[in-house]
Amino acid sequence: MNHFDYVNGELCAEGVPLSRIAAEVGTPVYCYSTATLVHHYRVFAEAFASQKATICYAVKANANLAVIRTLAELGAGADVLSEGELVRALAAGVPADKIVFSGIGKSANEIALALDSGISQINIESEPELEAVNEIAVAKGLRAPIAIRVNPDIDPITHEKITTGMKENKFGIDFQDAPGLYQRAAALPGIEVVGTAVHIGSQLTDLAPFAEAFRLVAELVTELKAKGIAIRRVDLGGGLGIPYRDEVPPTPRAYAEMVEGATKGLDCEIVLEPGRLLVGNAGVLVTRVLYVKQGSSKTFVIVDAAMNDLMRPTLYDAYHEITPVRAPESGKTGKDMVADVVGPVCESGDYFAKDRPLTVLQSDDLLAIRSAGAYGAAMASGYNSRPLVAEVLVKDDAFAVIRPRQTHQEALAQERMPDWLGDAPDAAAMSLASKDVA
Ligand code: LLP
């Protein structure tokens, strides 16, 4: 469910026509809907209302401060995996005691910052990382609250690049090694064992792999408790899928019931780390058609967004619905031509759709690439010296730019000329770069 609908033939985000945003902010532009964020959070939170659960939004899905704050105001904590995400979550107003730090390669700086800011849990992914956290905590005279992330070796049945809980994946501690590492952790002076963590993958559309993983985790917790290691928190990660096309993922309620069954009797607080589920369908990428090119075997719709703005189609063969911002004229099906929708970047992998039935398009038409709120802007790059695009948040009839489009001048200002190449970039070109690109 989302709040991007046609009103009087115009695709709107809540009460705001996307064409108005495009006219005022330029394209490409990411546009997020507050009502959709709120709806997704509430549905998920309500599903867990009867359980002692903390929802830690996985900031990696969409790290914009305004998005994080929108969710934090509803009660969300945060799951972060870098110093940058930690700083963002804190800056957005997430209380430190609702932040968990995931990720397999935390640097000493990141561990120190996590400890200094008093976050609730550091998820440990290797023995050397456990030792490093212990050492840094001891030096600070602290005990680091940790969970050990286990790898249950379960196929989550999703794209191989977003599978994280199988033996060949780099994540977590092999299941059979976990009890030994917990014994070690319990003996370290700088470590306070608080929990167990697991995250088997992303965009799961079946409950069975989750259920199997959580069953194993519950067994482990019972075993650890019997050995006197007082696990009080079980972090079940994120991963629940969303409909991009015709998938029918489990509902949050079905997921919550399964979690309740799997963790019954453990007497533990549950931590959940949804990312995509909260933000994925709360965002679209609005792009303008530059040209329609008739090739000898294909038609190409060349748009002004590109793979650097939204990597998912080329990286994961991901399907994103593409809809015209102006509704197709009556009598048209909206699927009157078949084309590849491609961007201006110099790679054949720069596409958003292949052989896609579309409404007949021409230069200047606006398109909305749907379900782009998760892992869209968050994964964007400046490849081909394309400035990072603007992001807009809509609330009812209002919208605000929550990240202005990067200017060429800002991009150039991040670089330095070594003294053997002269003092400064060419002044005339720099003044050209100062012009807003929108
Ligand atoms: N917790 C941990 C430890 C994670 O690694 C992730 C995602 C999440 C939570 C949130 O998972 P979600 O609920 O969003 O599925 N870029 C890829 C997805 C990468 C997911 C990485 N980890 C994509 O665009 O599909």
Side-chain angles (χ1 to χ4, degrees):
M1 143 91 177
N2 61 66
H3 295 74
F4 296 94
D5 291 308
Y6 289 102
V7 180
N8 299 329
E10 280 271 349
L11 190 59
C12 293
E14 304 185 27
V16 183
L18 293 177
S19 58
R20 199 179 121 207
I21 294 174
E24 290 182 32
V25 183
T27 54
V29 55
Y30 275 100
C31 172
Y32 311 122
S33 151
T34 300
T36 312
L37 290 170
V38 171
H39 175 77
H40 287 167
Y41 183 84
R42 291 220 169 112
V43 167
F44 195 75
E46 276 160 23
F48 280 93
S50 64
Q51 302 179 53
K52 209 164 71 178
T54 305
I55 299 168
C56 292
Y57 164 56
V59 167
K60 59 181 80 68
N62 186 321
N64 189 289
L65 286 174
V67 170
I68 304 173
R69 179 166 288 178
T70 301
L71 294 169
E73 281 186 350
L74 298 166
D79 162 44
V80 302
L81 90 163
S82 70
E83 197 172 331
E85 286 190 358
L86 174 53
V87 170
R88 272 175 185 275
L90 291 168
V94 180
D97 64 3
K98 281 203 218 167
I99 298 180
V100 300
F101 200 135
S102 304
I104 70 150
K106 301 172 203 78
S107 69
N109 272 348
E110 290 178 320
I111 295 166
L113 181 69
L115 292 175
D116 289 342
S117 44
I119 68 167
S120 82
Q121 175 179 307
I122 300 178
N123 290 350
I124 298 292
E125 299 226 19
S126 66
E127 182 161 4
E129 187 184 50
L130 176 68
E131 304 290 346
V133 170
N134 176 56
E135 234 170 75
I136 295 166
V138 168
K140 290 180 180 293
L142 296 170
R143 291 182 73 205
I146 66 108
I148 292 179
R149 174 170 174 183
V150 294
N151 181 327
D153 192 25
I154 285 170
D155 184 354
I157 320 169
T158 186
H159 192 277
E160 58 164 341
K161 286 186 184 151
I162 51 177
T163 291
T164 54
M166 294 181 72
K167 259 210 303 266
E168 60 267 35
N169 302 137
K170 64 184 176 178
F171 300 98
I173 302 289
D174 279 349
F175 206 73
Q176 68 278 5
D177 298 335
L181 195 61
Y182 268 106
Q183 298 279 18
R184 171 82 188 125
L188 292 172
I191 296 293
E192 182 198 5
V193 175
V194 297
T196 301
V198 71
H199 171 79
I200 59 172
S202 196
Q203 185 54 15
L204 273 70
T205 52
D206 188 350
L207 279 187
F210 283 125
E212 179 58 5
F214 300 168
R215 188 184 63 76
L216 288 172
V217 166
E219 273 176 27
L220 175 67
V221 171
T222 308
E223 178 188 336
L224 294 172
K225 283 191 168 185
K227 288 184 175 154
I229 298 174
I231 304 293
R232 59 173 196 265
R233 197 179 287 151
V234 180
D235 177 345
L236 299 176
L240 193 53
I242 63 169
Y244 282 95
R245 190 178 195 174
D246 46 16
E247 306 90 333
V248 186
T251 61
R253 186 159 298 279
Y255 175 76
E257 278 167 13
M258 180 274 295
V259 166
E260 189 167 29
T263 58
K264 203 172 23 229
L266 293 182
D267 192 25
C268 282
E269 175 198 345
I270 308 295
V271 172
L272 303 150
E273 302 173 350
R276 187 190 316 265
L277 182 81
L278 300 180
V279 296
N281 280 319
V284 299
L285 174 59
V286 182
T287 184
R288 197 175 282 282
V289 175
L290 296 173
Y291 307 106
V292 178
K293 168 170 146 173
Q294 213 65 57
S296 58
S297 69
K298 280 193 168 207
T299 302
F300 297 98
V301 175
I302 304 164
V303 298
D304 63 0
M307 63 188 283
N308 68 296
D309 306 313
L310 177 65
M311 286 179 76
R312 301 195 71 261
T314 195
L315 194 55
Y316 311 115
D317 305 312
Y319 180 96
H320 285 259
E321 194 86 41
I322 300 180
T323 45
V325 165
R326 177 170 292 284
E329 288 163 32
S330 64
K332 295 263 168 78
T333 60
K335 308 216 168 143
D336 309 298
M337 68 186 234
V338 172
D340 285 12
V341 180
V342 303
V345 157
C346 60
E347 297 205 24
S348 295
D350 178 24
Y351 62 86
F352 295 111
K354 294 207 156 172
D355 301 318
R356 181 72 64 89
L358 293 164
T359 188
V360 173
L361 294 165
Q362 56 191 37
S363 298
D364 255 4
D365 282 346
L366 290 169
L367 294 173
I369 304 177
R370 313 290 286 257
S371 311
Y375 308 109
M379 292 175 71
S381 79
Y383 185 41
N384 272 208
S385 290
R386 290 169 53 85
L388 291 174
V389 306
E391 293 173 84
V392 158
L393 182 64
V394 170
K395 186 171 193 298
D396 304 323
D397 294 334
F399 77 88
V401 174
I402 56 173
R403 179 182 177 122
R405 188 177 310 283
Q406 189 183 34
T407 64
H408 294 304
Q409 193 173 42
E410 283 161 354
L412 294 185
Q414 290 185 328
E415 295 169 29
R416 299 288 176 273
M417 206 58 92
D419 52 11
W420 66 86
L421 290 177
D423 293 339
D426 181 80
M430 281 303 276
S431 90
L432 197 79
S434 71
K435 301 212 171 29
D436 203 324
V437 287

